[in-house]
Amino acid sequence: MIGPFTHDQPAVRIVFGAGTFERLAGELEKRRWLVVHGSSQAAAAGRLRERLGARCAGTFGEVRRHVPVELAERGRTHFAAVGADGLVAVGGGSAIGLAKAIALTARVPIVAVPTTYSGSELTAVHGVTSEGRKRTGRDETVRPRTVVYDPDLTRGLPREIAAPSAMNALAHCVDALWAAAATPVTTLLAVEGAGALREGLDGADHEQLLYGAALGGWTFGVAGGGLHHRICHLLGGAFDLPHAETHSAVLPQVAALNAAAAPDDAARLAAALGAADLARGIFDLARRSGSVTALRDLGLAEERLGEVVDDVAAAAAGNPVPLDGPAARELLARAWAGERP
Ligand code: NAD
């Protein structure tokens, strides 16, 4: 049965395909674009700068994970100093996150060229980190207007980055099942996205991976995240953990908690992963892809889990399955040890 729903679809132009980045200059309107790029994308940013000619205000290649507030300030100062009025972000979620921090105050459009599977390119969520806490917000200005998915740029992504990043994309599909703004359409995208990600990981097919990431980002950009994302943000901010790897370790445990709240959708998503049980299907996919399943493998000391237990329990307000302090501690302990659900 399909109940009543409201699906709020933002207007984003999605361009997908090999070679699309090399044609990007032709897509861009007349502005002074600043190209923000990650360290591995310096050559690509340079090519774009050359093609844009006078329409390029320069490149900015200083990118750090979780966008420290000092870096956001330097980026904003640079943007103003070079007289830019548009942003192209080429790189992973960290490069896109920096572009969002600049766009938030400069109120200018972003064109995103993601080179990982982080999904940030399709959301209106921005965030900077200061004093060990990631502060996020939502503003339509920072949602990229055009997103270019070019598998030529992700072809060389090393497996140790690609696998956790794909698990991050899978988290968008999974967490969307119980997100507040989920609709039958976001669930459809989530199931299709999960299947593409599984095919991509199992077959080392980078086009399927990027396609699955696009569907995951699309789902997440409409439905938003749930408990899983709130936990990962807390852990990332408190312990400076790498984003995608944290998702990979936490997701099976949150899926085990929440699957009962959406049993039919969870079963569809599990089937897309080729599994009978969603949480075990996620865990096994992470394992066989060589991704992270235990927070302890990220260098986090077990004693430190206690620092975030109360925040994790508080973050569960509104979650379809209750999570009190002891249950939060148990969930974190399982994610830390990497226990199969
Ligand atoms: P990242 O951008 O830090 O990239 C991870 C690593 O991969 C970096 O070392 C980077 O240099 C390298 N890399 C990127 N593309 C590459 C390529 N094509 N080839 C080789 N190396 C490459 O990490 P991420 O996982 O992409 O993004 C994480 C960040 O994005 C976090 O700060 C997270 O909070 C944010 N994020 C935000 C949203 C949102 O909606 N706002 C959504 C997802 C993630």
Side-chain angles (χ1 to χ4, degrees):
M1 195 195 102
I2 304 290
F5 67 88
T6 303
H7 181 96
D8 233 326
Q9 183 61 56
V12 179
R13 178 175 163 82
I14 295 174
V15 181
F16 188 100
T20 48
F21 174 72
E22 305 305 327
R23 295 192 289 277
L24 175 59
E27 279 268 337
L28 296 177
E29 62 188 278
K30 194 159 178 284
R31 278 182 183 270
R32 294 263 302 157
W33 297 96
L34 178 68
V35 184
V36 174
H37 64 86
S39 56
S40 57
Q41 307 305 324
R47 293 200 299 282
L48 180 59
R49 177 185 194 156
E50 217 162 275
R51 289 196 187 106
L52 282 170
R55 288 183 293 151
C56 188
T59 57
F60 189 84
E62 191 191 345
V63 161
R64 282 179 45 212
R65 70 186 188 204
H66 302 312
V67 196
V69 68
E70 306 76 30
L71 176 61
E73 284 308 330
R74 272 201 299 284
R76 288 165 179 160
T77 305
H78 184 81
F79 182 87
V82 297
D85 63 359
L87 287 152
V88 181
V90 188
S94 300
I96 295 168
L98 175 60
K100 285 178 165 181
I102 299 171
L104 182 68
T105 51
R107 314 305 288 176
V108 295
I110 301 175
V111 170
V113 186
T115 64
T116 65
Y117 312 127
S118 84
S120 179
E121 68 280 1
L122 286 175
T123 80
V125 178
H126 55 85
V128 296
T129 303
S130 62
E131 292 158 6
R133 199 167 263 272
K134 185 153 193 180
R135 290 178 174 79
T136 58
R138 211 186 155 78
D139 190 313
E140 283 301 323
T141 304
V142 308
R143 195 192 298 268
R145 295 189 186 169
T146 297
V147 181
V148 174
Y149 290 100
D150 187 338
D152 283 348
L153 295 184
T154 54
R155 196 184 303 279
L157 206 53
R159 185 78 176 175
E160 63 272 19
I161 296 176
S165 193
M167 295 305 295
N168 183 187
L170 183 59
H172 298 144
C173 302
V174 174
D175 217 21
L177 296 188
W178 36 74
T183 72
V185 183
T186 58
T187 301
L188 181 79
L189 291 166
V191 170
E192 191 67 19
L197 290 165
R198 197 251 310 196
E199 255 182 69
L201 281 171
D202 284 343
D205 180 335
H206 71 280
E207 291 211 359
Q208 280 293 333
L209 281 171
L210 193 59
Y211 181 57
L215 295 178
W218 193 347
T219 310
F220 183 57
V222 175
L227 176 64
H228 169 77
H229 277 81
R230 293 196 288 277
I231 293 176
C232 290
H233 277 160
L234 280 170
L235 292 170
F239 307 126
D240 191 27
L241 297 177
H243 181 83
E245 288 79 356
T246 306
H247 274 274
S248 187
V250 172
L251 187 63
Q253 311 304 337
V254 177
L257 175 77
N258 272 2
D264 294 347
D265 292 342
R268 284 170 67 195
L269 215 136
L273 296 180
D277 174 83
L278 180 59
R280 283 196 282 276
I282 295 166
F283 184 90
D284 294 345
L285 180 61
R287 263 278 163 84
R288 67 179 184 267
S289 312
S291 189
V292 180
T293 51
L295 291 172
R296 73 168 152 203
D297 293 341
L298 302 180
L300 178 62
E302 190 174 16
E303 311 82 78
R304 298 208 62 189
L305 292 178
E307 294 172 31
V308 292
V309 165
D310 290 346
D311 286 344
V312 166
N319 189 56
V321 179
L323 189 75
D324 59 12
R329 181 176 288 276
E330 167 75 17
L331 186 150
L332 289 170
R334 294 181 66 89
W336 181 82
E339 282 177 35
R340 187 171 187 262

